Amino acid sequence: MPKMPKKKCCSDKPACKRCPLVMMKKGTLPPGYTVKKRKLVKIDKKSKPKTKIAA
């Protein structure tokens, strides 16, 4: 079983193998997860795309 990525990137050099940025780049992130602002985020499948209403 592959290891889960860390919750937040520690921005060390060289990056560790569990870094979410490295895992995203290699394509080994678990399904349903993405990285935003160096943090691991679960994708919400029920959310609707945000749209602006012109007034």
Side-chain angles (χ1 to χ4, degrees):
M1 181 173 150
K3 292 189 177 191
M4 282 293 290
K6 293 179 179 180
K7 301 272 184 193
K8 184 179 177 185
C9 176
C10 56
S11 25
D12 285 342
K13 295 286 181 175
C16 64
K17 294 177 183 175
R18 287 185 50 218
C19 178
L21 292 174
V22 172
M23 291 183 82
M24 184 175 74
K25 187 175 181 181
K26 290 182 179 178
T28 57
L29 269 179
Y33 287 93
T34 188
V35 178
K36 291 187 180 179
K37 296 184 181 178
R38 293 186 169 266
K39 292 185 181 181
L40 187 68
V41 179
K42 186 155 184 149
I43 298 171
D44 185 18
K45 295 180 182 179
K46 296 179 183 178
S47 67
K48 297 179 183 177
K50 295 181 182 179
T51 57
K52 292 186 178 181
I53 299 172

